[in-house]
Amino acid sequence: NAGVTQTPKFQVLKTGQSMTLQCAQDMNHEYMSWYRQDPGMGLRLIHYSVGAGITDQGEVPNGYNVSRSTTEDFPLRLLSAAPSQTSVYFCASSYSMVYGDTGELFFGEGSRLTVL
Amino acid sequence: EDQVTQSPEALRLQEGESSSLNCSYTVSGLRGLFWYRQDPGKGPEFLFTLYSAGEEKEKERLKATLTKKESFLHITAPKPEDSATYLCAVQAAGSGGSNYKLTFGKGTLLTVNP
């Protein structure tokens, strides 16, 4: 089991460029999510998905798009990068957020994005 | 709005010196409170879930406790390998979107010196 795999690990963009952060999990988890982590702030939820074809906004969704065509993959798209999107991005998955032992998120190792 | 406040922001201990980290929370109805550990350059790693006041969970040198307003992470006789940032998060009870979101605190950076 690889767990949650994020690519790329590091990326530098210029303002206005677009890119996609990839996230894949091999645990057959229904729930997947994207968080960003900034110095002095807690992890903040960007978007989440409760299954293939179902996505919803989190706390800070502006400037980001997501889709979920398969159970395994949950890419995060930056449409037109801005310096305010410089951050560390984490993808996380869980078997369920409403049944059983909820809140046990499995995180990837992060993608460090710098927007110049 | 759900809020999580962790204190202290940073804590430096000598090996073997026990202490506690605090997590105060405000949530409309608590479904669960979670503790995670994060090592530098890594993603958070799940430690504990607590569901109701009075509940306690233990793992090696760590023990998490929960009251109606706060949670403590007690570290007994810490070792240098316990050095990490410890994150607290809450999940609100209820229907709809609140079920699918964790609200995280800013974390406590723990350093244990040999």
Side-chain angles (χ1 to χ4, degrees), chain A residues 31 37 97-98 102-103 105, chain B residues 31 34 36 38 41 91 100:
Chain A
Y31 177 87
Q37 187 173 42
M97 292 294 281
V98 293
T102 66
L105 293 175
Chain B
R31 184 182 187 93
F34 314 97
Y36 285 80
Q38 186 174 22
Q91 181 185 17
Y100 302 108

Side-chain angles (χ1 to χ4, degrees), chain B residues 78-98:
Chain B
K79 298 182 177 182
E81 53 261 42
D82 295 322
S83 297
T85 296
Y86 290 86
L87 303 174
C88 175
V90 296
Q91 181 185 17
S95 60
S98 63

Side-chain angles (χ1 to χ4, degrees), chain A residues 31 35 37 40-43 45 48 50 57-58 90 97-105 107-109 112, chain B residues 1 31 34 36 38 40-46 49 51 87 91 96-97 99-106:
Chain A
Y31 177 87
Y35 285 84
Q37 187 173 42
M41 304 191 73
L43 287 155
L45 181 64
Y48 66 93
V50 298
Q57 297 181 350
F90 289 100
M97 292 294 281
V98 293
Y99 301 111
D101 291 332
T102 66
E104 183 175 350
L105 293 175
F107 283 83
E109 295 216 331
R112 287 149 184 80
Chain B
E1 182 179 325
R31 184 182 187 93
F34 314 97
Y36 285 80
Q38 186 174 22
K42 303 290 186 182
E45 178 183 351
F46 172 80
T49 304
Y51 291 107
L87 303 174
Q91 181 185 17
N99 284 318
Y100 302 108
K101 304 173 185 178
L102 295 192
T103 300
F104 281 84
K106 297 178 183 180

Side-chain angles (χ1 to χ4, degrees), chain B residues 6-81:
Chain B
Q6 292 187 245
S7 62
E9 290 185 9
L11 180 63
R12 190 177 293 271
L13 300 173
Q14 289 298 121
E15 185 171 3
E17 179 187 2
S18 301
S19 188
S20 297
L21 312 182
N22 178 262
C23 171
S24 298
Y25 63 91
T26 303
V27 66
S28 54
L30 182 69
R31 184 182 187 93
L33 183 140
F34 314 97
W35 284 97
Y36 285 80
R37 169 190 171 129
Q38 186 174 22
D39 292 305
K42 303 290 186 182
E45 178 183 351
F46 172 80
L47 292 173
F48 302 111
T49 304
L50 301 167
Y51 291 107
S52 57
E55 190 174 0
E56 299 182 352
K57 293 271 180 77
E58 284 189 69
K59 181 179 180 180
E60 295 181 359
R61 294 176 293 281
L62 301 177
K63 184 169 83 171
T65 62
L66 180 65
T67 72
K68 288 187 177 180
K69 293 184 178 180
E70 57 192 355
S71 176
F72 292 93
L73 185 65
H74 307 277
I75 303 174
T76 302
K79 298 182 177 182
E81 53 261 42

Side-chain angles (χ1 to χ4, degrees), chain A residues 23-79:
Chain A
C23 176
Q25 52 91 9
D26 61 358
M27 297 172 282
N28 201 32
H29 285 169
E30 290 297 323
Y31 177 87
M32 296 186 74
S33 57
W34 278 101
Y35 285 84
R36 60 178 289 174
Q37 187 173 42
D38 301 293
M41 304 191 73
L43 287 155
R44 292 181 292 168
L45 181 64
I46 304 171
H47 284 286
Y48 66 93
S49 168
V50 298
I54 307 170
T55 64
D56 204 348
Q57 297 181 350
E59 183 184 354
V60 288
N62 292 340
Y64 307 95
N65 270 3
V66 292
S67 59
R68 183 101 179 265
S69 57
T70 67
T71 299
E72 294 78 19
D73 300 300
F74 190 44
L76 179 71
R77 297 183 186 84
L78 281 71
L79 308 174

